[in-house]
Amino acid sequence: MTTKHLEKINSLLLPVCFAGVLLVMYMALGWAPLETTEGHVQRIFYVHVPVSWSAFVAFFVVFVSSILFLIKRSEKWDWLAVSAAELGLLMTTLSLISGIIWGRPTWGVWWVWDPRLTSTLLMWMIYVAYLMVRAYSSEAGRGSRMAAVIGIIGFADVPVVYYSVVWWQNIHPQPLIRPGNLELTGSMALVLLTSTIVFTIFLFYLISRRFLLEKATSELAVMKRTLREEEQDARIAKIKIDRAENK
Amino acid sequence: MEFARQVWTIVWKDIIVEARSRQIVAPVLVFAVLVLVIFNFALSPTSSNIPQLAPGVLWVSFTFAGVLSVNRSFVLENENGSILGLMLSPVSREALFTGKMLSNLIFIGAVELVTVPVFSVLFNQELFPPMLLVVLFLATSGFSAVGSIFAALAINTRFREIMLPLLMFPVVVPVIISAVKATEIILTSSPAGDMIKWLEMLVAFDLIFFLIAAVAFEYVIEE
Amino acid sequence: MRRFVLAAAFASILVMLPGYAFASASLQVEQHPTNLRYIFAAFMAIWAGYFLYALFMGWRELKLRRYVEELQTLLKDRAKKS
């Protein structure tokens, strides 16, 4: 797939995304039935869950493209990894924020050290470190290799953290508040499904856009380097000619 | 067999270097004890809440001390350029990683073995509960597996002293949770039923991360 | 690029305002505790996050484009000279 194809797909996807977002807003805030135990606040669920899902999808993309980068050493996997990591970090941030806002009216507290919340927070931290290693690496090429290793280890860590917190909770005396599982009726499930699809499409749109940006940036850097080298060669050649003439 | 011999060569090399330079164990040990002292003032434990606080204090101290020790092990290689020598040596990358991990395990383990009795005296616990040895061994193995690969990784970044804990702490959280819980069971001498669960968790973590790190190590130190 | 930023801004406003109006109209009638502030805050946070990210990416794309143009003029000048 060339850049042109990707750009074309992107320009088609953008209106789809916007229409989808409007549809989600309508379905989540208006069409979806009232949840009887939590009240209207439960409507946050229809955006909170898809955002968390997108975060997970994005980090899965990071995981796969990190492995492919280490095996194939083709730059495009690195571009994909960094794009997906950035989007995944954004989605995790939004998921945490919307979760905190949802937690306050439903459980009465902002935060609980529940397995899902804890592993999301740690996932957030791992990928902050991932982007930092990229930014602070001593050489550009090394940074992507180091980051790929973190992308793999970090992804493997998330389920381990989840289960360790599950066990930790079962033993700890529990506060009564706890994110329960909602009973989804048919129409609620439909809203959730629609919303998840829309958010996933939006995620892929943003990733591909970020991918093209990363591609252009690194290709430009290569061009700049060759230009500078050419310039230097020309200067050296000129000096040599001058010297020869002086003799 | 060849693998074991290669691993042992690396470990022995690290032990000799440490015996001559005394860069890791002694300063880290002092640091670990200092953390205990500071926690005593920060939490002001009384005889009633010590069993609840003590495991946390002990493991925070070990985590901070461990990250310092792991960091030193690769900084030294990097500063003297000896990492190139290691990479050129006819040793497989997996053996190199295992050796580094074991020597980290030995150094952190040495620090822990001295810190635990000091801790027990300062916080009025039983001097050295034997089950704690198992927990220390399993938790420190996981810690040094993750630590070795991230330390090798962090020397490629500009702010490695701060990057290493940033990378390591989120990943080793399961180890810390299990170790603290298991230690709590030992110190409060509560029924050992849940103990098995935490030990299983530690073993699982050790295996998963040892395997991933051993494979990924090759990509960290190439060139 | 500018078109993209404008579209993103437009869409965000489009999404936030009627969403809020719609929600406040339809939700407040019923007896349930509405907690409208929280619903609004959560939706707002998510769309704001998307919008800011789009803006940030647009800014980076703009910077890159300017840079390419600079390089192009530089190359043209050089071609003229030689």
PDB file of all heavy atoms in Angstrom, chain A residues 128-149:
ATOM      1  N   VAL A 128       4.211   5.682  28.758  1.00  0.00           N
ATOM      2  CA  VAL A 128       4.890   6.976  28.913  1.00  0.00           C
ATOM      3  C   VAL A 128       6.399   6.749  28.841  1.00  0.00           C
ATOM      4  O   VAL A 128       7.123   7.445  28.113  1.00  0.00           O
ATOM      5  CB  VAL A 128       4.512   7.652  30.246  1.00  0.00           C
ATOM      6  CG1 VAL A 128       5.426   8.814  30.528  1.00  0.00           C
ATOM      7  CG2 VAL A 128       3.084   8.136  30.207  1.00  0.00           C
ATOM      8  N   ALA A 129       6.858   5.710  29.555  1.00  0.00           N
ATOM      9  CA  ALA A 129       8.286   5.384  29.521  1.00  0.00           C
ATOM     10  C   ALA A 129       8.713   5.003  28.106  1.00  0.00           C
ATOM     11  O   ALA A 129       9.805   5.354  27.661  1.00  0.00           O
ATOM     12  CB  ALA A 129       8.585   4.255  30.497  1.00  0.00           C
ATOM     13  N   TYR A 130       7.830   4.286  27.402  1.00  0.00           N
ATOM     14  CA  TYR A 130       8.104   3.893  26.014  1.00  0.00           C
ATOM     15  C   TYR A 130       8.410   5.117  25.151  1.00  0.00           C
ATOM     16  O   TYR A 130       9.430   5.169  24.459  1.00  0.00           O
ATOM     17  CB  TYR A 130       6.876   3.159  25.483  1.00  0.00           C
ATOM     18  CG  TYR A 130       6.918   2.798  24.016  1.00  0.00           C
ATOM     19  CD1 TYR A 130       7.355   1.551  23.610  1.00  0.00           C
ATOM     20  CD2 TYR A 130       6.517   3.697  23.038  1.00  0.00           C
ATOM     21  CE1 TYR A 130       7.375   1.214  22.274  1.00  0.00           C
ATOM     22  CE2 TYR A 130       6.539   3.368  21.703  1.00  0.00           C
ATOM     23  CZ  TYR A 130       6.977   2.119  21.331  1.00  0.00           C
ATOM     24  OH  TYR A 130       7.004   1.795  20.009  1.00  0.00           O
ATOM     25  N   LEU A 131       7.537   6.132  25.241  1.00  0.00           N
ATOM     26  CA  LEU A 131       7.758   7.324  24.417  1.00  0.00           C
ATOM     27  C   LEU A 131       8.966   8.111  24.893  1.00  0.00           C
ATOM     28  O   LEU A 131       9.669   8.732  24.096  1.00  0.00           O
ATOM     29  CB  LEU A 131       6.506   8.192  24.408  1.00  0.00           C
ATOM     30  CG  LEU A 131       5.322   7.599  23.643  1.00  0.00           C
ATOM     31  CD1 LEU A 131       4.116   8.504  23.733  1.00  0.00           C
ATOM     32  CD2 LEU A 131       5.670   7.373  22.179  1.00  0.00           C
ATOM     33  N   MET A 132       9.222   8.079  26.210  1.00  0.00           N
ATOM     34  CA  MET A 132      10.387   8.799  26.737  1.00  0.00           C
ATOM     35  C   MET A 132      11.687   8.183  26.248  1.00  0.00           C
ATOM     36  O   MET A 132      12.618   8.903  25.893  1.00  0.00           O
ATOM     37  CB  MET A 132      10.381   8.742  28.257  1.00  0.00           C
ATOM     38  CG  MET A 132       9.493   9.781  28.869  1.00  0.00           C
ATOM     39  SD  MET A 132       9.637   9.644  30.637  1.00  0.00           S
ATOM     40  CE  MET A 132       9.186  11.281  31.086  1.00  0.00           C
ATOM     41  N   VAL A 133      11.749   6.854  26.246  1.00  0.00           N
ATOM     42  CA  VAL A 133      12.964   6.191  25.770  1.00  0.00           C
ATOM     43  C   VAL A 133      13.252   6.587  24.329  1.00  0.00           C
ATOM     44  O   VAL A 133      14.384   6.846  23.937  1.00  0.00           O
ATOM     45  CB  VAL A 133      12.836   4.660  25.902  1.00  0.00           C
ATOM     46  CG1 VAL A 133      13.885   3.954  25.084  1.00  0.00           C
ATOM     47  CG2 VAL A 133      12.972   4.264  27.340  1.00  0.00           C
ATOM     48  N   ARG A 134      12.187   6.670  23.541  1.00  0.00           N
ATOM     49  CA  ARG A 134      12.352   7.131  22.166  1.00  0.00           C
ATOM     50  C   ARG A 134      12.924   8.544  22.115  1.00  0.00           C
ATOM     51  O   ARG A 134      13.842   8.838  21.359  1.00  0.00           O
ATOM     52  CB  ARG A 134      10.988   7.190  21.503  1.00  0.00           C
ATOM     53  CG  ARG A 134      10.786   6.133  20.553  1.00  0.00           C
ATOM     54  CD  ARG A 134       9.368   6.178  20.115  1.00  0.00           C
ATOM     55  NE  ARG A 134       9.054   4.889  19.596  1.00  0.00           N
ATOM     56  CZ  ARG A 134       9.550   4.436  18.465  1.00  0.00           C
ATOM     57  NH1 ARG A 134      10.320   5.161  17.718  1.00  0.00           N
ATOM     58  NH2 ARG A 134       9.276   3.226  18.072  1.00  0.00           N
ATOM     59  N   ALA A 135      12.337   9.416  22.935  1.00  0.00           N
ATOM     60  CA  ALA A 135      12.732  10.823  22.876  1.00  0.00           C
ATOM     61  C   ALA A 135      14.144  11.024  23.414  1.00  0.00           C
ATOM     62  O   ALA A 135      14.866  11.889  22.930  1.00  0.00           O
ATOM     63  CB  ALA A 135      11.743  11.665  23.667  1.00  0.00           C
ATOM     64  N   TYR A 136      14.528  10.232  24.412  1.00  0.00           N
ATOM     65  CA  TYR A 136      15.804  10.480  25.083  1.00  0.00           C
ATOM     66  C   TYR A 136      16.913   9.548  24.625  1.00  0.00           C
ATOM     67  O   TYR A 136      17.972   9.519  25.232  1.00  0.00           O
ATOM     68  CB  TYR A 136      15.650  10.331  26.603  1.00  0.00           C
ATOM     69  CG  TYR A 136      14.720  11.322  27.222  1.00  0.00           C
ATOM     70  CD1 TYR A 136      14.043  11.022  28.399  1.00  0.00           C
ATOM     71  CD2 TYR A 136      14.524  12.566  26.648  1.00  0.00           C
ATOM     72  CE1 TYR A 136      13.174  11.941  28.969  1.00  0.00           C
ATOM     73  CE2 TYR A 136      13.667  13.476  27.218  1.00  0.00           C
ATOM     74  CZ  TYR A 136      12.995  13.162  28.372  1.00  0.00           C
ATOM     75  OH  TYR A 136      12.142  14.057  28.936  1.00  0.00           O
ATOM     76  N   SER A 137      16.681   8.743  23.593  1.00  0.00           N
ATOM     77  CA  SER A 137      17.707   7.777  23.225  1.00  0.00           C
ATOM     78  C   SER A 137      18.933   8.509  22.685  1.00  0.00           C
ATOM     79  O   SER A 137      18.829   9.589  22.109  1.00  0.00           O
ATOM     80  CB  SER A 137      17.178   6.824  22.173  1.00  0.00           C
ATOM     81  OG  SER A 137      17.027   7.514  20.967  1.00  0.00           O
ATOM     82  N   SER A 138      20.099   7.876  22.899  1.00  0.00           N
ATOM     83  CA  SER A 138      21.325   8.567  22.520  1.00  0.00           C
ATOM     84  C   SER A 138      21.512   8.615  21.016  1.00  0.00           C
ATOM     85  O   SER A 138      22.116   9.528  20.483  1.00  0.00           O
ATOM     86  CB  SER A 138      22.521   7.905  23.204  1.00  0.00           C
ATOM     87  OG  SER A 138      22.412   6.519  23.124  1.00  0.00           O
ATOM     88  N   GLU A 139      20.982   7.615  20.295  1.00  0.00           N
ATOM     89  CA  GLU A 139      21.018   7.656  18.837  1.00  0.00           C
ATOM     90  C   GLU A 139      19.640   7.279  18.325  1.00  0.00           C
ATOM     91  O   GLU A 139      18.950   6.468  18.929  1.00  0.00           O
ATOM     92  CB  GLU A 139      22.022   6.630  18.290  1.00  0.00           C
ATOM     93  CG  GLU A 139      23.454   7.037  18.446  1.00  0.00           C
ATOM     94  CD  GLU A 139      24.351   5.839  18.238  1.00  0.00           C
ATOM     95  OE1 GLU A 139      24.068   5.037  17.339  1.00  0.00           O
ATOM     96  OE2 GLU A 139      25.314   5.707  18.994  1.00  0.00           O
ATOM     97  N   ALA A 140      19.261   7.858  17.179  1.00  0.00           N
ATOM     98  CA  ALA A 140      17.892   7.669  16.690  1.00  0.00           C
ATOM     99  C   ALA A 140      17.570   6.199  16.440  1.00  0.00           C
ATOM    100  O   ALA A 140      16.554   5.695  16.861  1.00  0.00           O
ATOM    101  CB  ALA A 140      17.684   8.485  15.423  1.00  0.00           C
ATOM    102  N   GLY A 141      18.468   5.506  15.756  1.00  0.00           N
ATOM    103  CA  GLY A 141      18.191   4.121  15.409  1.00  0.00           C
ATOM    104  C   GLY A 141      18.063   3.231  16.631  1.00  0.00           C
ATOM    105  O   GLY A 141      17.241   2.319  16.670  1.00  0.00           O
ATOM    106  N   ARG A 142      18.869   3.542  17.661  1.00  0.00           N
ATOM    107  CA  ARG A 142      18.820   2.748  18.873  1.00  0.00           C
ATOM    108  C   ARG A 142      17.491   2.892  19.576  1.00  0.00           C
ATOM    109  O   ARG A 142      16.942   1.933  20.088  1.00  0.00           O
ATOM    110  CB  ARG A 142      19.908   3.201  19.832  1.00  0.00           C
ATOM    111  CG  ARG A 142      21.160   2.444  19.642  1.00  0.00           C
ATOM    112  CD  ARG A 142      22.080   2.775  20.768  1.00  0.00           C
ATOM    113  NE  ARG A 142      23.430   2.496  20.357  1.00  0.00           N
ATOM    114  CZ  ARG A 142      24.472   2.704  21.129  1.00  0.00           C
ATOM    115  NH1 ARG A 142      24.297   3.245  22.311  1.00  0.00           N
ATOM    116  NH2 ARG A 142      25.667   2.408  20.708  1.00  0.00           N
ATOM    117  N   GLY A 143      17.003   4.133  19.591  1.00  0.00           N
ATOM    118  CA  GLY A 143      15.751   4.403  20.296  1.00  0.00           C
ATOM    119  C   GLY A 143      14.634   3.501  19.825  1.00  0.00           C
ATOM    120  O   GLY A 143      13.905   2.936  20.638  1.00  0.00           O
ATOM    121  N   SER A 144      14.523   3.302  18.507  1.00  0.00           N
ATOM    122  CA  SER A 144      13.406   2.486  18.039  1.00  0.00           C
ATOM    123  C   SER A 144      13.590   1.034  18.438  1.00  0.00           C
ATOM    124  O   SER A 144      12.615   0.353  18.733  1.00  0.00           O
ATOM    125  CB  SER A 144      13.222   2.609  16.532  1.00  0.00           C
ATOM    126  OG  SER A 144      14.341   3.126  15.913  1.00  0.00           O
ATOM    127  N   ARG A 145      14.848   0.571  18.486  1.00  0.00           N
ATOM    128  CA  ARG A 145      15.071  -0.813  18.892  1.00  0.00           C
ATOM    129  C   ARG A 145      14.738  -1.005  20.362  1.00  0.00           C
ATOM    130  O   ARG A 145      14.066  -1.956  20.746  1.00  0.00           O
ATOM    131  CB  ARG A 145      16.510  -1.190  18.612  1.00  0.00           C
ATOM    132  CG  ARG A 145      16.670  -2.597  18.153  1.00  0.00           C
ATOM    133  CD  ARG A 145      18.091  -2.878  17.778  1.00  0.00           C
ATOM    134  NE  ARG A 145      18.984  -2.678  18.894  1.00  0.00           N
ATOM    135  CZ  ARG A 145      20.114  -1.994  18.844  1.00  0.00           C
ATOM    136  NH1 ARG A 145      20.481  -1.423  17.720  1.00  0.00           N
ATOM    137  NH2 ARG A 145      20.883  -1.871  19.896  1.00  0.00           N
ATOM    138  N   MET A 146      15.213  -0.059  21.206  1.00  0.00           N
ATOM    139  CA  MET A 146      14.930  -0.142  22.636  1.00  0.00           C
ATOM    140  C   MET A 146      13.430  -0.088  22.878  1.00  0.00           C
ATOM    141  O   MET A 146      12.878  -0.849  23.648  1.00  0.00           O
ATOM    142  CB  MET A 146      15.576   1.026  23.385  1.00  0.00           C
ATOM    143  CG  MET A 146      17.065   1.110  23.242  1.00  0.00           C
ATOM    144  SD  MET A 146      17.841  -0.378  23.811  1.00  0.00           S
ATOM    145  CE  MET A 146      19.008  -0.652  22.532  1.00  0.00           C
ATOM    146  N   ALA A 147      12.780   0.847  22.167  1.00  0.00           N
ATOM    147  CA  ALA A 147      11.342   1.011  22.356  1.00  0.00           C
ATOM    148  C   ALA A 147      10.605  -0.263  21.960  1.00  0.00           C
ATOM    149  O   ALA A 147       9.644  -0.660  22.619  1.00  0.00           O
ATOM    150  CB  ALA A 147      10.843   2.192  21.544  1.00  0.00           C
ATOM    151  N   ALA A 148      11.075  -0.916  20.893  1.00  0.00           N
ATOM    152  CA  ALA A 148      10.403  -2.146  20.466  1.00  0.00           C
ATOM    153  C   ALA A 148      10.445  -3.191  21.574  1.00  0.00           C
ATOM    154  O   ALA A 148       9.453  -3.880  21.832  1.00  0.00           O
ATOM    155  CB  ALA A 148      11.058  -2.692  19.204  1.00  0.00           C
ATOM    156  N   VAL A 149      11.602  -3.281  22.259  1.00  0.00           N
ATOM    157  CA  VAL A 149      11.707  -4.243  23.364  1.00  0.00           C
ATOM    158  C   VAL A 149      10.719  -3.892  24.474  1.00  0.00           C
ATOM    159  O   VAL A 149      10.018  -4.764  25.016  1.00  0.00           O
ATOM    160  CB  VAL A 149      13.157  -4.288  23.888  1.00  0.00           C
ATOM    161  CG1 VAL A 149      13.232  -5.104  25.151  1.00  0.00           C
ATOM    162  CG2 VAL A 149      14.070  -4.869  22.836  1.00  0.00           C
TER     163      VAL A 149
END
